[in-house]
Amino acid sequence: MTARKSPGKPGFTKLAHLRLSGKLRLVNDGELRRRAAELGVSVSYWDWQGHEVTVPDETLQAIVTALEEVPHALGHAATPLQAVAPAPSERSWGFTVQLYSLRSGGSWGHGDLRDLADFATWSARDLGAGFVLINPLHAAEPLPPISPSPYLPMSRRWVSPLYLRIEEIPEYQELNDEERTRLTVLAAPLLAASRTPALIDRDAVAAAKREALEVLRKVPLADERQASLAAFRLRQGQALEDWAAWCALAEVHGPDFRTWPARLRDPRTAEAEVRGGDLAALAEFHAWVQWLVAEQFATAQAAARDAGMAIGIVADLAIGAHPGGADAWAGQEFLASGFSVGAPPDAFNQRGQDWALPPYHPRALAAAGYRPLADLFESTLGRVLVADGAAGSGGLRIDHVMGLSRLWWIPAGRPPAEGAYVYYDAQGMLGTLASAATAAGAVVIGEDLGTVEPWLREALAARGILGTQLLWFERGWSNEPLAPQWWRPNSLVTVSTHDLPPAAAFLSGSQVTDRLALGLLTRSEAEERAEASQMVDGWIGALVEQGLLPPGQRPDADAFTAALYGYLARTPAALIGVNLAEAAGETRSQNMPGTSTEYPNWMLPLCGPSGEPVLLEDMPASARIRAVARAVNA
């Protein structure tokens, strides 16, 4: 279905075969663009430098064909139109944490839910934090090798067992001496690794915890525990059965269902085979593991709220899941095959981004009344509720919330810059989210960074969904740092995210050095350094003007970081997010968009400025972390 020349007909400069309204027809580029616009596909867009970019015909052909494959249906969300998510009960601040990097003396080389509970308790009682926003804990492959990215999971609905604290599973107390010794031996090298700055080895953690869980699985459950497991399975229903069956099959056939035997690619046929065959016990194991994870997550949220947090744990929901994973397998009919989701080029990612995630098909989603989305929101919010489900019980961050109104579709085999925006029914999508949040009494934060249409922020605010403001991106009319009083009240504000370098790297200029070494720049080094230096100098000037830094001297990294967070405290924002890695003095970015194996994305443990590991037990004595906490409390 590639375009071809037709010089014999004036006006038909390009021709393509497209299935329009159920018929295969030959159309010219003008008709192609008209049809694309009718289907909600952008035929051009404005880039980060203010230039209008025309979407290639080849991209439009592919997208229009995919959209026409699903008949139009007048589906709508089965949610009240007036649904509005609860607002935070009070202004508060909290840490944003990559939980896998937050380790303690009890961690098996990878931060876990016990670490989360202890960190939330300490940060609330000692520092006055009102929430902890964590990275997605989404489930990865059931066996090594384990993909490191939290944003490319096998399932968004379920949680990775890497976050389990093995010793806190109640059945651990029933192990005999030989079994406990076995688990102690398994844990020893990982406990030792937590005290080093070495990269996080998910494969080693997964292998050890899997062996430990197999030992614990043999312990008979007490009647009360058995009843709890049965109730959990009943609540989760078919979705848990789908996950458990996919895991069992993935252990035999690999974690990409697209490579499985044809009969197993259909979930209902495959599940019947699993239930009646040799894989039944393995599927039961994976369902049991999710029950254990749910228990420990609930314990962490209860600890946060008991310590006085106004909100508690805020979960993070990735924009999509792996195209061959469990979610894609169980929900094939709702996805558009042959495309991935990403982002067009911007100032920090000048080649664009391809996130390798399949997009929802807008027509299929609407025809289903947005039930797949509702199920996802409700299950995620269900993990962050306290027992009474009171308002303000936990929260949910939506990564790339613009995806609820439009997504950047990239045809397979094409670079990110050759994608196009495909629009969704924003009212149906946002209504579904707001309804789920209202039922849960939870705060919702939309990550609306990057290219955002102005109307979307108004639509988010109307639904009670907070936006996100990132200090480095907030500029005034003359490109100066945006004065505190002009920041949006209905937002979470922060200095940086996992995709950006910490403040220390901006101050030193190492963020340009790192991106240059990785081949991520499309401008000259001199241009990049000049712009970066101008930006940092502008912020130093703004901090001096606010009385947050002394005039006439360049601050060190610690003073600069604390002052930036002090600046955020002067905005009217509802929530302030403090990047824990930044507060601890880290100089490296957790993730470098545009890279894969060239950079240790999502593998860095929490470290200080000299590369020394920072454990949970070290934090009460950290002058850096306490200085930032004082700044946001001011």
Side-chain angles (χ1 to χ4, degrees):
M1 296 212 298
T2 56
R4 61 182 177 85
K5 298 283 186 179
S6 182
K9 294 185 179 182
F12 282 66
T13 56
K14 288 186 177 179
L15 296 177
H17 282 97
L18 292 178
R19 189 171 297 279
L20 300 177
S21 302
K23 298 180 181 179
L24 194 65
R25 294 172 49 199
L26 196 64
V27 301
N28 63 31
D29 55 356
E31 186 175 355
L32 170 64
R33 291 180 176 276
R34 283 193 299 275
R35 185 56 181 152
E38 290 170 358
L39 289 168
V41 184
S42 63
V43 298
S44 66
Y45 68 96
W46 295 94
D47 72 6
W48 61 285
Q49 294 175 310
H51 304 139
E52 186 174 12
V53 179
T54 299
V55 175
D57 285 352
E58 292 78 5
T59 296
L60 296 179
Q61 286 175 233
I63 295 175
V64 168
T65 300
L67 293 177
E68 285 281 1
E69 286 177 351
V70 176
H72 180 62
L74 297 176
H76 58 84
T79 56
L81 292 178
Q82 70 272 19
V84 177
S89 59
E90 60 187 49
R91 190 189 197 211
S92 63
W93 71 273
F95 286 101
T96 65
V97 178
Q98 298 295 304
L99 183 55
Y100 57 84
S101 73
L102 174 60
R103 303 170 302 170
S104 68
S107 306
W108 288 29
H110 182 285
D112 59 37
L113 290 164
R114 177 71 263 166
D115 294 325
L116 176 60
D118 292 344
F119 177 77
T121 298
W122 169 73
S123 63
R125 290 180 176 164
D126 282 26
L127 304 180
F131 63 90
V132 179
L133 195 166
I134 55 176
N135 62 282
L137 306 190
H138 302 327
E141 298 87 344
L143 292 176
I146 305 295
S147 302
S149 174
Y151 293 94
L152 185 58
M154 293 295 152
S155 173
R156 292 189 288 171
R157 179 161 184 158
W158 308 106
V159 177
S160 169
L162 270 65
Y163 292 100
L164 279 171
R165 175 65 66 90
I166 296 296
E167 295 86 347
E168 297 215 347
I169 297 171
E171 285 67 42
Y172 184 89
Q173 302 303 319
E174 305 301 321
L175 297 178
N176 59 40
D177 290 344
E178 182 180 349
E179 291 167 332
R180 285 205 186 194
T181 299
R182 181 179 172 188
L183 267 58
T184 299
V185 171
L186 281 174
L190 299 173
L191 293 169
S194 290
R195 300 182 179 278
T196 76
L199 297 179
I200 292 170
D201 186 347
R202 284 179 173 81
D203 289 351
V205 176
K209 290 194 175 183
R210 174 58 180 265
E211 187 173 340
L213 287 168
E214 289 175 349
V215 172
L216 288 162
R217 175 66 172 156
K218 297 175 184 177
V219 178
L221 295 177
D223 290 346
E224 183 179 348
R225 297 275 291 158
Q226 187 64 55
S228 175
L229 173 58
F232 174 79
R233 296 193 65 161
L234 184 63
R235 286 195 306 273
Q236 302 304 324
Q238 185 60 50
L240 182 60
E241 300 304 312
D242 289 343
W243 166 250
W246 180 88
C247 285
L249 290 165
E251 291 200 20
V252 177
H253 300 285
D256 190 334
F257 84 89
R258 297 170 296 179
T259 68
W260 293 357
R263 73 183 191 284
L264 300 178
R265 296 175 203 163
D266 175 69
R268 301 290 79 83
T269 302
E271 285 180 20
E273 189 169 319
V274 168
R275 284 195 302 271
D278 296 337
L279 296 180
L282 191 53
E284 294 287 323
F285 171 85
H286 286 288
W288 168 76
V289 167
Q290 287 303 314
W291 170 60
L292 298 177
V293 173
E295 286 189 320
Q296 292 197 5
F297 202 117
T299 298
Q301 174 66 322
R305 297 280 286 169
D306 289 347
M309 283 192 163
I311 297 173
I313 309 303
V314 179
D316 195 358
L317 186 66
I319 187 63
H322 192 285
D327 288 357
W329 177 68
Q332 297 170 47
E333 65 269 34
F334 304 117
L335 301 176
S337 61
F339 299 89
S340 58
V341 171
D346 62 31
F348 279 91
N349 306 289
Q350 295 169 17
R351 300 186 187 279
Q353 300 179 62
D354 185 339
W355 303 326
L357 305 167
Y360 276 124
H361 195 296
R363 286 184 164 189
L365 204 56
Y370 300 97
R371 194 64 243 169
L373 268 186
D375 290 343
L376 180 62
F377 294 148
E378 290 165 7
S379 64
T380 307
L381 285 165
R383 283 195 290 272
V384 295
L385 292 177
V386 291
D388 60 4
S393 297
L396 178 63
R397 173 188 179 270
I398 305 294
D399 187 48
H400 196 74
V401 74
M402 297 84 79
L404 297 181
S405 68
R406 69 177 185 178
L407 282 172
W408 185 255
W409 285 28
I410 306 166
R414 308 307 302 168
E418 294 184 17
Y421 283 114
V422 176
Y423 283 81
Y424 295 75
D425 173 13
Q427 288 306 316
M429 306 275 270
L430 294 176
T432 300
L433 173 59
S435 182
T438 300
V443 172
V444 178
I445 302 162
E447 186 264 286
D448 56 346
L449 303 173
T451 306
V452 184
E453 295 171 298
W455 67 266
L456 178 60
R457 290 196 169 121
E458 296 176 4
L460 292 173
R463 292 289 187 178
I465 300 167
L466 302 180
T468 303
Q469 289 185 277
L470 185 66
L471 180 137
W472 300 113
F473 294 167
E474 296 302 321
R475 317 296 294 179
W477 288 110
S478 300
N479 203 35
E480 79 283 6
L482 186 65
Q485 66 268 28
W486 301 118
W487 291 53
R488 287 179 280 146
N490 58 327
S491 65
L492 164 76
V493 297
T494 187
V495 172
S496 69
T497 72
H498 52 262
D499 284 338
L500 286 179
F506 277 95
L507 185 67
S508 69
S510 65
Q511 59 96 0
V512 175
T513 304
D514 293 342
R515 289 189 295 135
L516 175 65
L518 292 166
L520 298 177
L521 303 183
T522 59
R523 298 184 295 177
S524 71
E525 179 184 0
E527 288 178 289
E528 286 288 333
R529 290 199 183 280
E531 182 177 290
S533 178
Q534 182 180 27
M535 180 171 63
V536 169
D537 288 346
W539 275 107
I540 290 175
L543 297 173
V544 170
E545 185 178 322
Q546 290 288 324
L548 296 166
L549 285 176
Q553 63 186 65
R554 192 171 180 82
D556 63 20
D558 292 345
F560 183 57
T561 300
L564 290 173
Y565 280 103
Y567 193 93
L568 296 185
R570 299 190 176 188
T571 72
L575 302 176
I576 303 172
V578 175
N579 184 326
L580 177 61
E582 194 162 47
E586 177 65 86
T587 61
R588 303 165 296 177
S589 175
Q590 276 290 331
N591 179 52
M592 195 73 75
T595 65
S596 179
T597 56
E598 313 95 293
Y599 186 84
N601 296 313
W602 315 112
M603 299 180 191
L604 299 176
L606 185 64
C607 291
S610 300
E612 73 282 7
V614 177
L615 301 184
L616 181 55
E617 293 87 350
D618 301 326
M619 292 181 190
S622 172
R624 292 187 182 91
I625 294 175
R626 288 189 175 277
V628 171
R630 285 195 299 272
V632 292
N633 275 316

